[in-house]
Amino acid sequence: MRKRKMGFLDKLKDNWFLLGIFVVITAANLIPSIGAKGGPLVPEITIKYLAVAFIFFNSGLSLKTEDLKSALLHVRLHIFIQTFTLVFVPCVMWVFTHLMSSSGLDEGLLQGLLVVGCMPPPVSSAVILTKAVGGNEAAAIFNSAFGSFLGIIVTPVLLLMFLGSSSSVPFSTIFSQLSVTVIVPLILGQFVRQYVKDWLEQRKPPFGEVGKGVLLLIIYSTFCDTFSSTALQVNHKSIAGIIVVVVILQMCLLSLTWTVTQIPALGFSPADTVAIMYCATHKSLTLGIPMLKIVFAGYEQLSLISIPLLIYHPTQILLGGLLINSIKEWMEKTQKSRSIKPRSKSLEVKEEHVVDEKKNVDV
């Protein structure tokens, strides 16, 4: 039976998220004031709290409790992600910025790249992208939440160590914000799931598509802030150079995590690889900017060192969104090939031995 050719509308339907990314970025560029801080969208409430809380409520509602429990026990994966993002990446950025010191790029922008490396993982985008691909969502949720909490302590220490400052960080305020937007919605979603579990399994609501829709709202608000930021009013060549550097760095980090997780001894599944690729390489803007304002209060080049983070955050979402279909195709193909394992020689020898024993018994 011949397969029906996919029409233009079908292609649009399958790639609506990529089209949506283009639309929201264009809209943000045309009128950034709507989604920027202080604008009619009021992103400091609707995005910072409501959208992020909805993402984790959505995840709590859609995730099977047993999957979440098993993810908590996947210690090797958690150690890999947290070590990569909070130890390896900062060290790489430190070496890279020292090598680039004579490149002609502004010193403040290079310091900003080092700042990016010190940031914790985001609390939402990595989860949504992992879910969109069909990766290990439970692991992504745990590591996004745990990494954010860990980053409250580790990130200021890294910033002080690499760049220096003497300000104190209001840990209690950030902890309470993360609890309200991450932990409480996730637990609430799991609680509600217990009562609507059968209905969810029968109807199968499009949780992934809803998550993508919320991510588009976050992308829109992020780019509104980026396009309206006064910090971006600097030399265009320097900005272009940093954009190129950020994209190359992200591609290298994504490639590195993918390559390393293919090592059989580590025991990571394709679904684990997806969670690692997004969680270990993404950096938080929502936690990063407040931390910078606190740790570097009064620093005259604060806006300049913030630029790479303002560029890195939307770029990681955009790049992650563009790679969804490719990564999903690879994951499904790999899972299928691994499920059809060739019979090992030891098993064949064992079966032949059993047959010989049966023959001897019959005799």
Side-chain angles (χ1 to χ4, degrees):
M1 188 174 175
R2 255 172 50 173
K3 210 174 182 181
R4 185 175 67 89
K5 280 184 82 175
M6 185 178 282
F8 178 71
L9 290 177
D10 293 326
K11 287 182 179 178
L12 279 182
K13 188 178 177 182
D14 286 347
N15 296 283
W16 70 269
F17 181 65
L18 297 182
L19 181 64
I21 290 175
F22 174 77
V23 170
V24 297
I25 291 175
T26 303
N29 188 30
L30 292 173
I31 317 176
S33 59
I34 293 177
K37 287 180 181 176
L41 188 61
V42 197
E44 52 269 36
I45 296 174
T46 57
I47 303 298
K48 187 177 180 180
Y49 289 100
L50 298 181
V52 174
F54 177 80
I55 286 167
F56 283 92
F57 174 77
N58 183 45
S59 293
L61 195 61
S62 61
L63 255 183
K64 293 179 180 178
T65 307
E66 53 270 24
D67 290 344
L68 195 56
K69 286 179 181 177
S70 64
L72 296 177
L73 301 174
H74 204 337
V75 178
R76 185 183 298 177
L77 184 144
H78 307 325
I79 292 174
F80 183 93
I81 290 177
Q82 301 307 327
T83 303
F84 190 93
T85 192
L86 291 173
V87 178
F88 178 76
V89 174
C91 291
V92 167
M93 288 295 193
W94 183 80
V95 172
F96 180 77
T97 51
H98 275 70
L99 292 174
M100 293 288 288
S101 58
S102 59
S103 64
L105 281 174
D106 191 285
E107 187 181 342
L109 292 177
L110 287 176
Q111 284 185 330
L113 284 175
L114 189 52
V115 164
V116 170
C118 297
M119 289 298 123
V123 294
S124 54
S125 60
V127 174
I128 298 174
L129 290 167
T130 301
K131 185 183 183 73
V133 173
N136 191 339
E137 185 192 355
I141 288 174
F142 176 82
N143 281 282
S144 293
F146 180 66
S148 296
F149 279 106
L150 196 60
I152 294 170
I153 299 169
V154 176
T155 294
V157 171
L158 289 172
L159 290 173
L160 296 174
M161 187 172 67
F162 286 125
L163 299 172
S165 182
S166 57
S167 301
S168 59
V169 179
F171 297 113
S172 59
T173 303
I174 303 175
F175 265 114
S176 60
Q177 182 186 322
L178 284 171
S179 297
V180 169
T181 57
V182 178
I183 304 300
V184 173
L186 183 64
I187 293 173
L188 187 60
Q190 283 284 288
F191 177 76
V192 173
R193 179 180 171 81
Q194 304 306 313
Y195 294 93
V196 294
K197 185 178 178 181
D198 293 336
W199 181 84
L200 290 173
E201 290 179 355
Q202 287 175 3
R203 295 299 182 92
K204 300 190 183 302
F207 290 114
E209 304 303 300
V210 173
K212 287 180 186 177
V214 178
L215 182 57
L216 286 178
L217 184 63
I218 294 173
I219 292 172
Y220 172 70
S221 175
T222 303
F223 272 92
C224 282
D225 273 336
T226 302
F227 290 134
S228 61
S229 174
T230 54
L232 290 175
Q233 307 305 315
V234 293
N235 186 287
H236 291 296
K237 287 184 179 179
S238 295
I239 292 293
I242 286 296
I243 291 173
V244 171
V245 168
V246 164
V247 172
I248 292 173
L249 279 172
Q250 285 195 34
M251 290 299 293
C252 289
L253 290 174
L254 285 167
S255 301
L256 181 62
T257 50
W258 181 85
T259 303
V260 173
T261 53
Q262 301 309 298
I263 299 173
L266 292 175
F268 294 133
S269 68
D272 293 337
T273 296
V274 174
I276 290 168
M277 287 175 71
Y278 286 127
C279 291
T281 62
H282 281 207
K283 296 293 182 177
S284 177
L285 178 71
T286 53
L287 283 177
I289 293 298
M291 279 187 182
L292 286 178
K293 288 180 178 177
I294 293 163
V295 177
F296 297 101
Y299 183 52
E300 59 181 11
Q301 285 195 312
L302 177 60
S303 60
L304 192 62
I305 66 172
S306 302
I307 289 175
L309 184 57
L310 290 171
I311 294 171
Y312 194 97
H313 183 74
T315 304
Q316 71 189 7
I317 298 174
L318 179 61
L319 189 60
L322 292 171
L323 291 173
I324 283 176
N325 290 339
S326 300
I327 296 175
K328 188 173 185 177
E329 187 180 341
W330 164 81
M331 187 190 74
E332 290 175 348
K333 186 178 178 181
T334 307
Q335 285 175 333
K336 191 176 179 181
S337 65
R338 288 187 184 182
S339 64
I340 309 172
K341 292 181 179 179
R343 289 162 63 87
S344 64
K345 287 188 176 181
S346 60
L347 184 62
E348 288 176 0
V349 170
K350 190 176 179 181
E351 287 181 350
E352 286 176 5
H353 181 66
V354 170
V355 170
D356 289 339
E357 283 186 345
K358 285 183 177 179
K359 284 181 180 178
N360 292 333
V361 169
D362 291 339
V363 172

